[in-house]
Amino acid sequence: MKTSDRPEVQRYARHVNPHLVSLLGVLGYGRLFTRAQGERIEDHRGNSYLDALAGFGSVPLGHHPERLRVRFEQALDEEPWGEDEGPRAAQLKALLARRSSLPSVLLASSGAEAVDVALKIARASTGRQTILCCDGSYHGLNLGALSVAAEPRVRKPFAPLLPGCRVLPYGDLDALRHALQDGAAAFLLEPLQIEGGMRMPPGGYLEACRELCSRHGTLLILDEIQTGLGRCGHDFLWKKYGVKPDIVTLGKALGGSYCALSALCLNPELLERAERQAPGLVGPGPVGGVNVASAVALEFLSLLDEPLLNNVRQRGEELLEGLQRRLQGHPLVRGIRGEGLLVGVELGMLPRGWKLPLPASVPPPPTGHWIALKMLEASVICQPTTHRPDVLRLEPPLTVSAPDIAILQDRIERVLRECNGATAVLSGLVGRLGRQARAGWTF
Ligand code: PLP
């Protein structure tokens, strides 16, 4: 399939991601993003877009924030390069230990890697095998993290994955109570499920999970790789609920958009117990450039202060309440929910209250993709959530301003005014496919 005559697009298609480029070509979605500054990204034609995705949370302070850029450059000159953790890594660990009140900290590169290490520690320290997780969860793409991804579509191509991982319905305390009877090593949970469709924890759920896990000697692992470090208006979302986990995983924002860095914070007794069982095998393995990454992370954390968290809470409320007010009664909108600067707009094609008798394995229609495409054409970058393509995710940088939130609301309202029902979506989609086919699937 032809995608573009532009050499940079062809290069990207040949060497980076051919499937993505053909997929983008199908709807004419494709852009090459070539420059970025603050909350704006520019494409190869010089068009500017408001970034309402922020690299899935890995761009917390916008693109090229001055303080982090300067610190990064300085650290490249000054910090020991390589894999050995030096004083800067120790300083970062001490700070994360203090902010999480969990004194042992391990550093890794990706979020999935931190999750894998958490699973290893859970098994080695408890001597138990079962890992409980929830439907709709997303913990990354390593084999370990995929074993606790609840969607069969995601797991099937790589089977058999880790044995002993058991999926529970999210929010169902009876199911958890029952599963804990069999003596699980850990219950791995996102305090708010983003990729599962921005699912909020039901009232009292997190608190009850904590209580049940403690009662059964099962570790509670909270995955805060996307919800943590300011995204939800707190350094850790669990602090809002007063639910302290045994292990918390962090990532994405930690590297301040310059470095790939993740972490897990836990109680020292757990780490000691795991180390006794598997000396030298528990951690993630060395992280290249860990001291430079730690210097950037320290600078980012020094900026993650009350004024910034306050901005997240205020802008998040404006976005959530503004959209709820403006989109009330819209025929496609089924719900608007979120926490801080993580907001999801659930879109439905069928009349309200209707449900097709399809098995749960059939994914919902990709309405979010079509609306995300229309948003892109309205100069806003956003994406649906991974497992629920009917939920549009809005996740701007933590530094987003009130005028940018107003722009974001205006654009969504405008796009949804044009797509005011299932017929408009379907005819738009069919018309676009026809146009793209006639043009040779180019972008
Ligand atoms: N856990 C959660 C909750 C995530 O949202 C993600 C990524 O989006 C991960 C784990 C995996 O992180 P990474 O992509 O850095 O491996």
Side-chain angles (χ1 to χ4, degrees):
M1 182 184 286
K2 189 177 161 200
T3 52
S4 171
D5 293 329
R6 295 185 68 94
E8 65 270 38
V9 177
Q10 288 173 352
R11 205 162 35 239
Y12 189 87
R14 195 169 315 124
H15 299 293
V16 183
N17 196 334
H19 300 298
L20 179 68
V21 173
S22 359
L23 185 71
L24 295 178
V26 170
L27 288 176
Y29 194 102
R31 308 282 193 279
L32 281 188
F33 295 112
T34 48
R35 290 159 64 87
Q37 188 64 46
E39 286 76 38
R40 294 291 185 286
I41 299 186
E42 236 178 60
D43 72 12
H44 61 288
R45 296 187 188 103
N47 301 312
S48 173
Y49 302 80
L50 173 61
D51 184 3
L53 184 60
F56 304 94
S58 61
V59 182
L61 305 181
H63 298 270
H64 303 299
E66 184 62 8
R67 288 259 306 261
L68 294 197
R69 191 183 59 71
V70 169
R71 187 68 191 96
F72 184 41
E73 284 175 6
Q74 192 188 18
L76 281 173
D77 286 338
E78 291 173 1
E79 295 298 332
W81 192 257
E83 299 177 336
D84 288 337
E85 291 185 358
R88 209 60 66 208
Q91 213 181 326
L92 174 62
K93 287 177 165 193
L95 181 61
L96 287 174
R98 186 163 59 73
R99 286 183 88 145
S100 67
S101 315
L102 289 162
S104 285
V105 177
L106 299 174
L107 298 176
S109 309
S110 68
E113 201 181 7
V115 169
D116 268 17
V117 174
L119 301 184
K120 285 199 298 183
I121 292 175
R123 283 188 168 169
S125 67
T126 60
R128 300 178 181 178
Q129 293 186 350
T130 306
I131 307 286
L132 305 174
C133 58
C134 286
D135 61 358
S137 61
Y138 182 90
H139 299 289
L141 298 177
N142 287 0
L143 281 179
L146 279 172
S147 308
V148 283
E151 300 302 305
R153 174 185 66 83
V154 176
R155 288 205 311 255
K156 201 168 155 223
F158 312 105
L161 292 166
L162 281 186
C165 298
R166 202 171 143 194
V167 181
L168 306 177
Y170 178 71
D172 186 336
L173 285 171
D174 282 338
L176 177 64
R177 208 170 281 120
H178 194 252
L180 287 171
Q181 310 285 341
D182 301 332
F187 179 37
L188 171 63
L189 182 66
E190 295 158 84
L192 180 174
Q193 277 194 350
I194 302 162
E195 307 304 341
M198 213 64 79
R199 287 160 98 191
M200 312 296 291
Y205 178 62
L206 296 176
E207 296 86 333
C209 290
R210 172 69 283 177
E211 200 269 314
L212 284 170
C213 285
S214 300
R215 200 187 311 157
H216 288 86
T218 295
L219 303 180
L220 178 65
I221 306 174
L222 288 184
D223 180 346
E224 292 240 30
I225 284 162
Q226 223 177 140
T227 53
L229 302 180
R231 179 52 54 193
C232 295
H234 305 267
D235 48 4
F236 296 91
L237 180 53
W238 59 259
K239 287 190 179 171
K240 176 181 167 180
Y241 299 93
V243 171
K244 190 174 159 194
D246 300 293
I247 305 178
V248 65
T249 53
L250 295 171
K252 301 284 178 202
L254 186 61
S257 70
Y258 282 105
C259 303
L261 189 67
S262 62
L264 54 160
C265 310
L266 67 157
N267 282 318
E269 312 84 69
L270 279 184
L271 190 57
E272 279 158 27
R273 249 186 282 150
E275 282 286 357
R276 268 201 303 278
Q277 295 305 314
L281 299 173
V282 169
V287 176
V290 66
N291 300 304
V292 173
S294 297
V296 175
L298 279 163
E299 193 69 21
F300 163 58
L301 290 170
S302 77
L303 296 170
L304 190 64
D305 52 9
E306 204 36 49
L308 182 59
L309 293 173
N310 208 26
N311 186 62
V312 174
R313 290 191 284 264
Q314 280 186 12
R315 302 290 86 81
E317 252 168 58
E318 283 163 22
L319 182 59
L320 188 69
E321 286 171 10
L323 289 179
Q324 284 170 340
R325 191 179 62 254
R326 287 169 180 227
L327 300 179
Q328 198 182 19
H330 188 285
L332 284 183
V333 175
R334 296 287 170 272
I336 302 170
R337 51 188 177 263
E339 184 78 51
L341 284 169
L342 265 177
V343 171
V345 180
E346 185 176 336
L347 302 157
M349 296 279 277
L350 294 171
R352 242 171 259 273
W354 283 34
K355 211 170 178 317
L356 289 180
L358 294 172
S361 55
V362 177
T367 333
H369 283 292
W370 178 246
I371 300 300
L373 167 64
K374 302 302 287 177
M375 289 292 285
L376 192 67
E377 290 169 355
S379 304
V380 175
I381 295 173
C382 57
Q383 266 196 22
T385 60
T386 306
H387 298 322
R388 288 281 307 271
D390 56 333
V391 178
L392 189 69
R393 159 232 316 262
L394 303 169
E395 190 172 1
L398 311 182
T399 44
V400 70
S401 64
D404 276 348
I405 291 293
I407 291 176
L408 186 51
Q409 294 183 19
D410 288 345
R411 302 283 161 87
I412 296 182
E413 193 180 11
R414 196 175 85 200
V415 162
L416 282 171
R417 209 181 313 125
E418 285 161 17
C419 299
N420 59 359
T423 318
V425 172
L426 289 174
S427 64
L429 194 57
V430 171
R432 177 64 59 93
L433 287 173
R435 212 170 82 197
Q436 283 302 107
R438 284 193 298 279
W441 306 108
T442 57
F443 71 78

